[in-house]
Amino acid sequence: MKHLKATSLLFALILSVNFINAQDTDTGNWFIYFGNQAINKKWNWHNEVQYRNYNFAGDTQQLLLRTGIGYNLTENNNNVLLGYGFINSQNYIPGTDNKADSNEHRIFQQFITRQNFGRVYLQHRYRVEERFLKDDFQMRFRYFLAINVPLNKPKMEDNAFYFSAYNEIFINAESPAFDRDRIYGALGYVINKNFRVEAGFMRQIQENTGRNQFQIVVYNNIPFNSSK
């Protein structure tokens, strides 16, 4: 019951803010699901769905599906992963209410390393992407630095509320080198060792534009072997 009340409070807060801003075309909303299923001590399966909207919901900007197989160099710390992503984008044509629909296929390789300093949990992710767009091929490099800090518990454990933040920079292999930068802050809640939820705000900065996004995120870490 405590889990339900805490989770409901967290989402009620972010939903109320989203509703107020639903008509603001400069602010969208991303619903995100991250799954990371341990196959055994060495291997894991990553699965991800992101439903991105121009408003709170219903005006689709992008649907992203991503999956991959990872290998732990050291348990719960250093992981390498090979993955595939499918991205459907529905971008507005400038000056009109019409959208242009496009699909992208993406292969990516990444390395994740984690560090823990007392109550501070850090994650570094280095990712290389090979992007197959219509009549085009691009490569991109990404660096992601995230921090989680529990607020009412000494660790990221059951019933812990936590502060979450990240910064991710995207660099193109070709000119222009700068692609985008994302800055994010959120409040999260650890339901148990396998589930946590998070709600926050992200600012995405590109060369000539920027956009605000609310994010509602669910993390699922249930292993294939449930006895773990």
Side-chain angles (χ1 to χ4, degrees):
M1 191 66 178
K2 290 181 179 179
H3 295 320
L4 181 60
K5 289 181 178 179
T7 306
S8 299
L9 178 63
L10 178 64
F11 277 102
L13 176 63
I14 196 66
L15 287 172
S16 64
V17 176
N18 268 287
F19 180 78
I20 293 172
N21 289 276
Q23 302 303 316
D24 184 355
T25 57
D26 293 328
T27 302
N29 189 65
W30 294 5
F31 296 96
I32 304 175
Y33 164 84
F34 289 115
N36 184 40
Q37 274 55 64
I39 299 171
N40 54 41
K41 288 186 177 181
K42 286 294 186 180
W43 296 93
N44 67 286
W45 173 49
H46 174 81
N47 47 98
E48 176 183 343
V49 179
Q50 298 194 27
Y51 174 47
R52 301 172 176 179
N53 293 269
Y54 285 103
N55 55 12
F56 173 64
D59 189 1
T60 303
Q61 179 185 18
Q62 197 171 70
L63 174 65
L64 184 150
L65 308 174
R66 190 182 280 131
T67 189
I69 295 295
Y71 179 80
N72 290 322
L73 302 175
T74 57
E75 190 173 4
N76 299 321
N77 188 24
N78 298 297
N79 180 271
V80 292
L81 184 140
L82 173 64
Y84 164 78
F86 172 78
I87 300 92
N88 172 258
S89 298
Q90 299 179 27
N91 298 315
Y92 278 102
I93 300 171
T96 75
D97 292 328
N98 300 318
K99 291 181 178 180
D101 190 280
S102 64
N103 293 326
E104 175 184 345
H105 299 275
R106 187 181 299 175
I107 298 171
F108 67 96
Q109 305 82 42
Q110 70 181 33
F111 170 67
I112 289 178
T113 182
R114 299 179 178 89
Q115 299 165 324
N116 178 215
F117 303 98
R119 299 170 69 98
V120 178
Y121 294 77
L122 291 177
Q123 176 179 296
H124 305 264
R125 185 181 71 204
Y126 307 86
R127 178 179 287 173
V128 180
E129 297 177 327
E130 294 80 37
R131 308 176 63 197
F132 298 87
L133 303 103
K134 184 179 180 181
D135 302 323
D136 193 15
F137 171 78
Q138 300 176 11
M139 285 191 66
R140 189 166 64 182
F141 306 94
R142 299 166 60 166
Y143 170 65
F144 172 92
L145 173 63
I147 181 172
N148 288 333
V149 181
L151 301 175
N152 62 326
K153 299 277 187 175
K155 300 187 298 182
M156 292 284 288
E157 57 188 18
D158 293 8
N159 303 320
F161 283 95
Y162 64 93
F163 168 74
S164 177
Y166 72 70
N167 181 244
E168 184 172 22
I169 187 167
F170 297 62
I171 301 296
N172 294 314
E174 299 179 356
S175 182
F178 176 76
D179 184 84
R180 68 193 64 202
D181 186 56
R182 293 174 178 170
I183 303 170
Y184 171 79
L187 176 65
Y189 178 70
V190 180
I191 300 173
N192 55 46
K193 65 179 182 179
N194 295 321
F195 285 101
R196 58 188 173 97
V197 294
E198 201 169 286
F201 181 84
M202 186 264 286
R203 174 69 177 174
Q204 179 164 252
I205 303 165
Q206 295 175 269
E207 186 175 9
N208 298 313
T209 188
R211 186 169 174 81
N212 302 320
Q213 306 284 357
F214 287 100
Q215 294 189 7
I216 299 175
V217 190
V218 176
Y219 295 88
N220 165 24
N221 296 314
I222 297 177
F224 281 113
N225 183 354
S226 59
S227 63
K228 287 187 176 184

